[in-house]
Every structure is written in structure tokens, then in C-alpha cells.
Amino acid sequence: RKEVEQDPGPFNVPEGATVAFNCTYSNSASQSFFWYRQDCRKEPKLLMSVYSSGNEDGRFTAQLNRASQYISLLIRDSKLSDSATYLCVVNREYSGGGADGLTFGKGTHLIIQP
Amino acid sequence: EPEVTQTPSHQVTQMGQEVILRCVPISNHLYFYWYRQILGQKVEFLVSFYNNEISEKSEIFDDQFSVERPDGSNFTLKIRSTKLEDSAMYFCASTFGASNEKLFFGSGTQLSVL
């Protein structure tokens, strides 16, 4: 099973629509979860961290289900500028004294159409 | 906003040649990383670096790779004898704490091995 699995898409949605992405992860020791956004040929940029209680940042809502090892991202009132690849990212349990690398999903490609 | 800077933005080299990719992390950050992304593939962790030593490395980071922090500002990735399959976008990243909560990526160096 892949460490972090995402539907690659593309998701084609009209401007103003609500769209949701899912992600599953295989390592139950994962402790931190993030959604990153990556524009074509650019660096990943942190969109939001994902907390156990769920969290919201404007039009974006992230949810975590540890029992099912599942993360979601919801985008409301989508805008043309939301077109990008959305990367699900997890971090293993931090053992202290160093820094662990992040594990990235391959990403879900979103296209917002006018 | 402070940023991670990488040079060069593009590097073309012949197979078997050595390359050095350079990064200047954000000045008060303590944890440094290299990631790579082969075209169309996921972002992959290579190595993390803290307190002047490697904290963790992936199986990709073999004996051909090395990292160095030669002074107080630069963080370099050296590939001793490049292979065709080393062609990728290489991203440097840094963060203040080890939790990866706010990981900042540079804009990347596109390495092409011919």
C-alpha cells in the first residue's frame, strides 16, 4: 500500500462550486498532517495544517479521521485562482533530537473553470 | 516575507559530472531539508540536517549525495557523479522547529542530466 494515496484527478469544477479531496495514509504512527498547494513547476506551499478536531481557514476546511487514516480538504466557493495541485502530506512520529522528512502524496489536480 | 533562495534555477550537466546545488535557508531557521521531484511524480524526501549533521536520510540519498553547511548561511547538496535518473527539480526547505509546522520551500533548481 502506498504511504500517502490521493486521487490524481483532474477535478474539473465550475467557479463557485464546492469541491472535496480525500487522502489516505498507511503509517498509523503519522502524527502531523498537512495540505500543500503546488502550482505548475513551482515549489509546494503550505495551505493548512490538519488537526484532529478539524479546522477551517476561510473557504478551506480540513478534516482528519485517525481511525480510518483518512484526511480530507473541502474548498467552498471555488475561485479560478484555486486551480493547482493539492498535496496531502504526513509526518511520522517525531522522535526528538532531529527532523523527520515529510511524506507527500502525488497530489490531486484541480481545474476551476469559468 | 522571508524566503528560502536557491541557485541556480536551472542546471544542465553531463552524466558523470559533479553538481552542487545551493540554498540559503531563512536566517533564523534551524532545520534544513532537500527534496526532489521528478517530472510528473511526487515530491520525495532526500535528507534533513540539524545542528551541523544529517538527522535523517532516505534510501534515495546514497553515497553519491552529500550535504554541507559551509558557513552560517549556505546549505548545499552535492551529487558526485550524476546519472540520467538524477534529473529532477530539487527543492531546499527550512523550518525553525522540528515539527515541520511551517516548512518553507525554495523555488527549486531544475537539474537536467544529459
Side-chain angles (χ1 to χ4, degrees):
Chain A
R1 184 178 173 185
K2 292 179 187 172
E3 290 191 68
V4 178
E5 202 152 351
Q6 296 182 251
D7 182 344
F11 283 45
N12 288 279
V13 301
E15 194 175 3
T18 295
V19 59
F21 308 134
N22 301 321
C23 162
T24 56
Y25 61 94
S26 61
N27 189 343
S28 59
S30 298
Q31 290 291 311
S32 307
F33 309 91
F34 310 92
W35 283 102
Y36 275 74
R37 170 195 169 124
Q38 187 175 29
D39 294 294
C40 187
R41 308 293 286 164
K42 301 283 189 185
E43 74 273 22
K45 290 187 178 176
L46 179 65
L47 181 65
M48 58 196 304
S49 301
V50 186
Y51 302 121
S52 297
S53 54
N55 49 301
E56 190 173 306
D57 183 3
R59 298 181 293 108
F60 299 85
T61 301
Q63 298 278 350
L64 168 64
N65 184 322
R66 283 187 187 272
S68 302
Q69 294 180 201
Y70 167 101
I71 306 160
S72 66
L73 176 68
L74 183 81
I75 306 175
R76 287 182 299 279
D77 187 25
S78 53
K79 313 234 178 270
L80 295 176
S81 56
D82 293 334
S83 297
T85 298
Y86 289 83
L87 310 177
C88 177
V89 184
V90 307
N91 193 20
R92 294 185 303 272
E93 182 176 353
Y94 171 57
S95 55
D100 293 335
L102 298 173
T103 302
F104 284 76
K106 203 170 172 183
T108 297
H109 189 40
L110 174 66
I111 302 169
I112 306 298
Q113 295 172 331
Chain B
E1 184 176 77
E3 57 182 30
V4 176
T5 56
Q6 288 187 244
T7 54
S9 56
H10 293 85
Q11 175 87 52
V12 180
T13 189
Q14 295 289 327
M15 192 169 59
Q17 295 296 304
E18 174 184 287
V19 294
I20 297 176
L21 310 183
R22 301 179 193 281
C23 169
V24 179
I26 294 172
S27 62
N28 66 338
H29 283 186
L30 302 176
Y31 297 83
F32 314 117
Y33 307 81
W34 283 100
Y35 288 82
R36 78 170 187 190
Q37 187 173 30
I38 295 169
L39 187 63
Q41 302 298 314
K42 65 180 181 178
V43 176
E44 298 175 292
F45 168 72
L46 294 179
V47 66
S48 58
F49 192 87
Y50 169 71
N51 201 25
N52 283 319
E53 60 183 25
I54 290 174
S55 298
E56 187 185 8
K57 56 185 180 180
S58 71
E59 58 191 28
I60 301 169
F61 194 88
D62 62 22
D63 291 345
Q64 293 300 310
F65 291 86
S66 62
V67 288
E68 195 178 28
R69 189 153 163 82
D71 52 43
S73 60
N74 290 284
F75 179 51
T76 62
L77 175 70
K78 183 193 290 187
I79 308 175
R80 258 179 277 282
S81 177
T82 49
K83 307 184 192 68
L84 295 176
E85 55 265 36
D86 293 329
S87 295
M89 179 75 90
Y90 287 80
F91 293 110
C92 175
S94 70
T95 185
F96 179 76
S99 68
N100 289 311
E101 276 287 328
K102 290 190 188 302
L103 188 63
F104 291 84
F105 282 84
S107 56
T109 294
Q110 177 63 55
L111 176 65
S112 298
V113 181
L114 305 179

